[in-house]
Amino acid sequence: RGIRVGYTPDVLTDATAELSVALLLSACRRLPEAAQQVRSGGWTTWKPLWMCGHGLSDSTVGIIGLGRIGQAVARRLKPFGVRRFLYTGSGPKPESAAEFGAEFVPLARLAEESDFVVVTCALTPATQGMCNKDFFGRMKKTAVFVNTSRGAVVNQEDLYEALAQGQIAAAGLDVTTPEPLPTDHPLLSLHNCVILPHIGSATYATRGTMAVLAARNLLAGLRGEPMPSELTL
């Protein structure tokens, strides 16, 4: 119909990468669960293994989708002492991967060898439901799964079973299907699943920049001029 489309690329990369790391740390170190113990009176005397989680030092991190956000996540995780980065996607990205010494591997191998899995890929017919029973079944029992891409990349029923049965250690989700997630959803009953309301881009600076770029796209479109960021259809 000849309708022009403007969008806001690159604006939320840093904010979403920061939130991905925050979710990973919250899940692996059991922060919401620990905070609840303080409120409920569960914090008593020191106990050797109480509230123990999993650390990043000397770990293997697998990133599904080494695009702008995936690279920004790796960049932030590297100083934590991550030993090895793996990644998968539509194809190798040697130039992007070189910064982290990341190795391109099949999805199954990434699941099997990673201590932490971070999903930052686009939702496409190829990626829909890719994190499923087979995928979670290949992961380590001590592994932590984080998704900040799109909810439909994950089969949530399979994720629930994996978490409930101790097949994987924990998960952190900023995206779900549907959104908002119903308050009676089974995933919300789990102590080892941290779920946020899709706030990856929710910093004041990021939302402000998004709004300005959207407005500039709109004004340019109304004037018949090239948009600062226009989708080529």
Side-chain angles (χ1 to χ4, degrees), residues 194-226:
V194 182
I195 301 180
L196 302 179
H198 203 154
I199 55 170
S201 67
T203 69
Y204 290 110
T206 299
R207 293 287 172 85
T209 304
M210 288 172 70
V212 170
L213 180 52
R216 287 176 174 163
N217 285 340
L218 175 62
L219 292 172
L222 290 171
R223 296 189 193 110
E225 301 168 356

Side-chain angles (χ1 to χ4, degrees), residues 59-78:
S59 67
T60 296
V61 172
I63 298 177
I64 300 177
L66 196 67
R68 289 188 297 264
I69 295 174
Q71 292 171 49
V73 169
R75 200 167 291 123
R76 285 159 173 76
L77 289 178
K78 192 174 181 180

Side-chain angles (χ1 to χ4, degrees), residues 94-144:
E95 292 183 5
S96 301
E99 178 181 351
F100 321 105
E103 181 183 357
F104 181 75
V105 296
L107 182 67
R109 184 178 160 198
L110 183 143
E112 292 164 358
E113 298 185 14
S114 298
D115 298 299
F116 301 91
V117 173
V118 184
V119 186
T120 56
C121 62
L123 175 61
T124 67
T127 62
Q128 185 162 0
M130 72 187 305
C131 298
N132 53 23
K133 183 176 182 178
D134 177 71
F135 179 86
F136 296 123
R138 293 176 182 273
M139 289 178 65
K140 302 177 182 180
K141 290 185 180 297
T142 54
V144 176

Side-chain angles (χ1 to χ4, degrees), residues 2-216:
I3 299 170
R4 297 170 62 191
V5 179
Y7 68 122
T8 58
D10 301 325
V11 173
L12 50 71
T13 297
D14 288 337
T16 304
E18 288 170 2
L19 189 85
S20 300
V21 174
L23 254 181
L24 189 154
L25 292 171
S26 293
C28 76
R29 294 300 302 271
R30 303 170 65 180
L31 301 190
E33 188 182 354
Q36 182 56 38
Q37 289 293 311
V38 176
R39 291 186 175 88
S40 65
W43 183 14
T44 55
T45 57
W46 182 85
K47 296 180 281 291
L49 298 179
W50 186 65
M51 287 291 108
C52 282
H54 302 279
L56 277 159
S57 182
D58 203 35
S59 67
T60 296
V61 172
I63 298 177
I64 300 177
L66 196 67
R68 289 188 297 264
I69 295 174
Q71 292 171 49
V73 169
R75 200 167 291 123
R76 285 159 173 76
L77 289 178
K78 192 174 181 180
F80 281 90
V82 173
R83 176 173 54 87
R84 187 168 61 132
F85 285 99
L86 306 176
Y87 75 101
T88 193
S90 56
K93 295 185 174 181
E95 292 183 5
S96 301
E99 178 181 351
F100 321 105
E103 181 183 357
F104 181 75
V105 296
L107 182 67
R109 184 178 160 198
L110 183 143
E112 292 164 358
E113 298 185 14
S114 298
D115 298 299
F116 301 91
V117 173
V118 184
V119 186
T120 56
C121 62
L123 175 61
T124 67
T127 62
Q128 185 162 0
M130 72 187 305
C131 298
N132 53 23
K133 183 176 182 178
D134 177 71
F135 179 86
F136 296 123
R138 293 176 182 273
M139 289 178 65
K140 302 177 182 180
K141 290 185 180 297
T142 54
V144 176
F145 176 83
V146 173
N147 183 19
T148 54
S149 61
R150 288 293 182 268
V153 172
V154 178
N155 182 310
Q156 290 180 166
E157 290 73 22
D158 292 347
L159 175 60
Y160 171 81
E161 291 299 325
L163 289 166
Q165 296 175 12
Q167 203 163 33
I168 65 173
L173 310 174
D174 187 41
V175 289
T176 60
T177 304
E179 294 182 356
L181 194 67
T183 56
D184 61 351
H185 194 281
L187 282 172
L188 293 171
S189 69
L190 299 172
H191 64 81
N192 57 344
C193 188
V194 182
I195 301 180
L196 302 179
H198 203 154
I199 55 170
S201 67
T203 69
Y204 290 110
T206 299
R207 293 287 172 85
T209 304
M210 288 172 70
V212 170
L213 180 52
R216 287 176 174 163

